[in-house]
Amino acid sequence: DADVTQTPRNRITKTGKRIMLECSQTKGHDRMYWYRQDPGLGLQLIYYSFDVKDINKGEISDGYSVSRQAQAKFSLSLESAIPNQTALYFCATSGGGGQPQHFGDGTRLSIL
Amino acid sequence: GENVEQHPSTLSVQEGDSAVIKCTYSDSASNYFPWYKQELGKRPQLIIDIRSNVGEKKDQRIAVTLNKTAKHFSLHITETQPEDSAVYFCAARVTGGGNKLTFGTGTQLKVEL
């Protein structure tokens, strides 16, 4: 869905740098999620937010932080990137009432 | 927390054959089970889902079955086509856990001509 937009699509950076990945949506959904995908490990939840004032840690939040700037925007930050954070990162959104999650196109992040 | 196991990790079938992917979950409070298809380099896309009050759901060539007693659910693809080649992920959501999904580790399906 072009309704969930992630920027950048690709990023190569160095160890120790601060990186921000951005996600915006036009679906009008309250709920937003950040996942990390590694080969053979599926999708692991990093953080999720049910509204602007609600932020929750997922399974693998260490080394990451998030900001919900508005209903439509949810950013993921790596304060000091390390090589094992090299992965494919996906943002997803959903409506309330247990509606399905819809994913963005992903950000491929490489940390050297 | 919830744990979802998915098998097999790779599956190769001939075009026209059926494919079955199985998942088991650990938390009996799980009530929603989606399946996502991810083509190479693309986003996961929802292809079918089932809720715990239903035992089976079908959509054209794909179907999902749920056995709550055994805590497992399966994806069935009939009359497979080359465009079915992708990675498939199952997931489970626990009642009262918000809308958090726990994903399986994925199955690489290859449909050979």
Side-chain angles (χ1 to χ4, degrees), chain B residues 12-83:
Chain B
S12 184
V13 299
Q14 295 293 314
E15 183 180 7
D17 287 349
S18 295
V20 180
I21 302 169
K22 299 181 180 181
C23 289
T24 60
Y25 60 98
S26 61
D27 195 329
S28 57
S30 291
N31 66 349
Y32 173 68
F33 308 91
W35 285 89
Y36 286 83
K37 174 184 180 182
Q38 186 178 27
E39 297 177 4
L40 187 62
K42 296 191 176 181
R43 70 178 74 191
Q45 292 200 308
L46 180 71
I47 55 172
I48 195 166
D49 55 13
I50 191 168
R51 299 183 189 273
S52 58
N53 59 346
V54 176
E56 184 174 359
K57 183 176 179 181
K58 190 173 182 180
D59 182 3
Q60 299 183 2
R61 294 187 299 108
I62 60 173
V64 57
T65 58
L66 171 64
N67 183 327
K68 288 190 294 183
T69 301
K71 290 190 283 188
H72 67 70
F73 57 112
S74 299
L75 178 71
H76 305 255
I77 306 174
T78 59
E79 301 172 20
T80 54
Q81 301 168 3
E83 53 265 37

Side-chain angles (χ1 to χ4, degrees), chain A residues 1-2 4 31 33 35 37 40-43 45 48 50 90 94-95 98-101 103-105, chain B residues 32 36 38 41-46 49 51 87 89 93 97-106:
Chain A
D1 295 342
V4 184
R31 304 180 180 197
Y33 312 80
Y35 289 92
Q37 185 176 34
L41 292 180
L43 291 148
L45 183 64
Y48 61 104
F50 286 172
F90 284 101
S94 73
Q99 294 301 304
Q101 293 185 19
F103 287 81
D105 283 329
Chain B
Y32 173 68
Y36 286 83
Q38 186 178 27
K42 296 191 176 181
R43 70 178 74 191
Q45 292 200 308
L46 180 71
D49 55 13
R51 299 183 189 273
V87 178
F89 292 98
R93 183 186 71 201
N99 198 24
K100 291 186 299 178
L101 294 176
T102 300
F103 284 84
T105 51

